[in-house]
Amino acid sequence: MSYVAADDRYSTLDYRRTGRSGLLLPPLSLGLWHNFGDERSSGSQRAILRRAFDRGVTHFDLANNYGPPPGSAETNFGRALATDFASYRDELVISTKAGYDMWDGPYGDWGSRKYLLSSLDASLGRMGLDYVDIFYHHRPDPETPIEETAGALASAVTSGKALYVGISNYSPEQTEAMVEALDAHGIHLLIHQPRYSMFDRHIERGLFPVLEKHGVGSIVFSPLAQGMLTNRYLDGTVPSDSRAATSRFLSEDALDDTYLSRARALDEIAKGRGQSLAQLALSWVLRQKAVTSALIGASSPEQLDENLKALDAPALTDDELAAIEPYAVDGTV
């Protein structure tokens, strides 16, 4: 049966302004980093995407290398877009990125003009789109002048292939430099996508003031610390299908006694609020004024629903934040 979006999809979420721009994003956005490669069925992927949009999640975040294999998340998303969401394109914010290794040879990585614009064309082809809403440089390139990278991002906008541009994994100093380089082209840096969670707080050391100064929004990734801020590992075991057992991004060695003591303490605080640990972790990152949205993954519609329940909880009180602080330790990941 053809997909018809829920009539009440805009009735529950409070959309947030992205820095000093006109773009509103949902407080939770759907990231396609995991669960949208070729190892997952198209039916499962379409069910997650449909549920997200039915719940008011209008932003889908991709990158050229998401999969596995690299590129497959964009290809699979493009099929779902054509099948289910073509008539809703103007209601969606679709982003992609380039900056990590994507193809062989010297032109398939980092931040050159050749790589970024070639990658954007390839991404548009895989998704069947004329443009993306946001095009990111995925990581800073220490060898390419930032003016060249900024010029490529500006060209993406002036050519009509992207409406906005962003950066990811940039330091405060690198962010300042990109703001200045884009200003030379009359382009505003819309958004920064950094890693941020209770267990990885490095961006609190200088990035937030830079974003606020320049009116740049932020959308944080890994707010659940690759699953460490869920109930997945609280009993001390590693399920065979878990991220720690199957992904290179999380090692079983990280699930040590220090981690367990902190995660279990945070879980008790969450229970006191009527939340799961994951829901508490999302409430905690969204407390930051500079955070426009948090990226969540989902392996099922039900998991997506559980994460969205974080938005129903009351704001964290000063006492709750003080209770969390001893256990929300940077470097736990």
Side-chain angles (χ1 to χ4, degrees):
M1 295 179 63
S2 60
Y3 168 65
V4 178
D7 289 337
D8 62 350
R9 60 188 177 276
Y10 296 120
S11 64
T12 58
L13 300 188
D14 292 324
Y15 296 85
R16 299 180 172 201
R17 189 163 301 278
T18 311
R20 287 197 296 270
S21 81
L23 185 67
L24 300 174
L25 292 179
L28 294 178
S29 299
L30 183 64
L32 278 66
W33 182 12
H34 302 287
N35 301 314
F36 287 84
D38 286 347
E39 80 285 0
R40 298 297 302 272
S41 72
S42 61
S44 170
Q45 295 174 17
R46 289 176 67 190
I48 295 167
L49 293 167
R50 287 178 171 192
R51 180 67 63 83
F53 190 53
D54 282 346
R55 295 293 307 274
V57 176
T58 53
H59 178 28
F60 299 145
D61 180 76
L62 298 101
N64 60 354
N65 62 343
Y66 287 177
S72 60
E74 288 182 329
T75 299
N76 293 330
F77 175 72
R79 294 192 185 106
L81 185 65
T83 303
D84 294 337
F85 298 101
S87 64
Y88 300 107
R89 173 65 183 97
D90 291 339
E91 298 181 42
L92 299 175
V93 173
I94 300 169
S95 62
T96 195
K97 315 175 195 72
Y100 283 96
D101 184 34
M102 185 58 189
W103 60 79
D104 292 339
Y107 315 121
D109 200 354
W110 293 105
S112 72
R113 180 179 182 87
K114 179 171 178 59
Y115 169 49
L116 293 182
L117 295 181
S118 296
S119 179
L120 177 56
D121 283 343
S123 290
L124 293 174
R126 283 189 288 268
M127 291 187 284
L129 293 172
D130 296 323
Y131 72 94
V132 290
D133 297 276
I134 307 171
F135 181 49
Y136 288 90
H137 187 216
H138 210 164
R139 61 169 170 173
D141 182 350
E143 301 298 330
T144 299
I146 201 164
E147 293 80 7
E148 178 177 340
T149 301
L153 294 176
S155 290
V157 174
T158 57
S159 67
K161 295 178 181 179
L163 302 186
Y164 303 93
V165 292
I167 55 175
S168 182
N169 297 304
Y170 273 57
S171 71
E173 296 76 18
Q174 291 164 333
T175 301
E176 289 266 15
M178 180 57 81
V179 167
E180 182 178 349
L182 284 171
D183 280 347
H185 296 272
I187 302 292
H188 176 62
L189 178 62
L190 174 80
I191 195 166
H192 190 303
Q193 189 174 131
R195 189 178 62 251
Y196 185 48
S197 74
M198 287 180 174
F199 289 163
D200 188 341
R201 302 176 63 171
H202 74 281
I203 64 171
E204 293 179 0
R205 300 189 293 273
L207 182 62
F208 286 141
V210 171
L211 300 181
E212 293 189 21
K213 173 184 174 183
H214 295 289
V216 178
S218 70
I219 179 167
V220 300
F221 72 90
S222 294
L224 305 183
Q226 297 291 319
M228 292 176 71
L229 286 165
T230 71
N231 63 3
R232 197 77 161 120
Y233 309 108
L234 292 181
D235 65 357
T237 64
V238 179
S240 60
D241 62 344
S242 68
R243 190 77 54 83
T246 61
S247 172
R248 65 186 178 89
F249 296 104
L250 178 61
S251 167
E252 290 188 34
D253 294 340
L255 308 177
D256 57 16
D257 290 342
T258 299
Y259 154 71
L260 287 171
S261 66
R262 292 169 181 169
R264 288 166 177 167
L266 291 169
D267 186 53
E268 289 302 313
I269 295 171
K271 289 176 180 175
R273 284 173 48 84
Q275 288 186 296
S276 68
L277 176 54
Q279 291 161 1
L280 176 67
L282 293 171
S283 295
W284 185 87
V285 298
L286 290 172
R287 85 198 190 285
Q288 288 280 7
K289 178 183 176 183
V291 173
T292 310
S293 184
L295 282 166
I296 55 173
S299 58
S300 67
E302 293 74 22
Q303 187 183 58
L304 178 73
D305 286 339
E306 282 300 306
N307 286 334
L308 286 168
K309 288 179 182 178
L311 303 178
D312 299 330
L316 289 160
T317 67
D318 289 344
D319 287 345
E320 287 170 333
L321 289 170
I324 288 169
E325 193 64 19
Y327 309 108
V329 180
D330 182 44
T332 301
V333 177

